[in-house]
Amino acid sequence: VEQNALQETKKLKNLDPTPVHFIDESEQSSYRPTFSASLQLLAYLENIKDETQITLVDPAGHKVKMSGLPGGLLVNLQFHPIEKKLLYSKIDNVDSNHKFSDLYEYDFNTLKSERLTTSARTRPSRVQGAVT
């Protein structure tokens, strides 16, 4: 065993070290994927520098830009079952004990996001077409 270890050590000393590649911070923490067959888009949430972003990807793997989204903690993505819209919630802290979760929709026709509730506790439902 000792001889084998010495031989392996000699081999390792003659090899170049493995190159190190740093991973970009984006896409390291993604969750809640949802797919729209009619829009042919995959949507998921990413945490980047303490902000949550919605990422859209087309079938070719290209990211689709979204504008007008609120900053903060975005959660619970769900494509609208009939219209060209993406529903999502944004959580806001009221105080140390209370949080509100307001519902928003992103319209792919107007490329705008609209807040649907104020100071509520709403989230898109996991059931297609329902809002809780």
Side-chain angles (χ1 to χ4, degrees), residues 53-103:
Q53 296 179 4
I54 298 172
T55 300
L56 295 174
V57 181
D58 67 15
H62 301 111
K63 290 187 178 181
V64 177
K65 296 236 180 209
M66 295 178 74
S67 58
L69 297 177
L73 181 58
L74 306 180
V75 294
N76 298 319
L77 298 175
Q78 183 69 47
F79 282 101
H80 194 284
I82 300 167
E83 299 178 33
K84 293 182 176 184
K85 296 180 179 181
L86 178 68
L87 301 170
Y88 62 95
S89 294
K90 179 180 182 285
I91 295 177
D92 290 304
N93 291 325
V94 177
D95 56 40
S96 61
N97 297 315
H98 300 92
K99 295 179 181 180
F100 287 122
S101 176
D102 287 312
L103 187 64

Side-chain angles (χ1 to χ4, degrees), residues 19 21 29 96 112 123:
H21 301 284
S29 178
S96 61
K112 292 184 180 177
R123 306 241 172 120

Side-chain angles (χ1 to χ4, degrees), residues 13-127:
K13 285 182 180 179
N14 293 328
L15 295 175
D16 291 332
T18 304
V20 176
H21 301 284
F22 292 97
I23 299 172
D24 184 19
E25 187 177 316
S26 67
E27 298 180 5
Q28 285 191 30
S29 178
S30 59
Y31 55 98
R32 279 295 282 154
T34 184
F35 181 74
S36 169
S38 62
L39 294 173
Q40 287 293 294
L41 288 173
L42 172 70
Y44 59 90
L45 295 166
E46 287 185 273
N47 280 337
I48 300 174
K49 297 181 183 175
D50 298 328
E51 283 284 318
T52 309
Q53 296 179 4
I54 298 172
T55 300
L56 295 174
V57 181
D58 67 15
H62 301 111
K63 290 187 178 181
V64 177
K65 296 236 180 209
M66 295 178 74
S67 58
L69 297 177
L73 181 58
L74 306 180
V75 294
N76 298 319
L77 298 175
Q78 183 69 47
F79 282 101
H80 194 284
I82 300 167
E83 299 178 33
K84 293 182 176 184
K85 296 180 179 181
L86 178 68
L87 301 170
Y88 62 95
S89 294
K90 179 180 182 285
I91 295 177
D92 290 304
N93 291 325
V94 177
D95 56 40
S96 61
N97 297 315
H98 300 92
K99 295 179 181 180
F100 287 122
S101 176
D102 287 312
L103 187 64
Y104 288 74
E105 72 178 8
Y106 183 82
D107 188 326
F108 289 98
N109 292 321
T110 63
L111 303 177
K112 292 184 180 177
S113 193
E114 180 183 352
R115 185 181 196 159
L116 301 178
T117 64
T118 302
S119 300
R121 289 188 172 92
T122 57
R123 306 241 172 120
S125 174
R126 292 179 190 236
V127 178

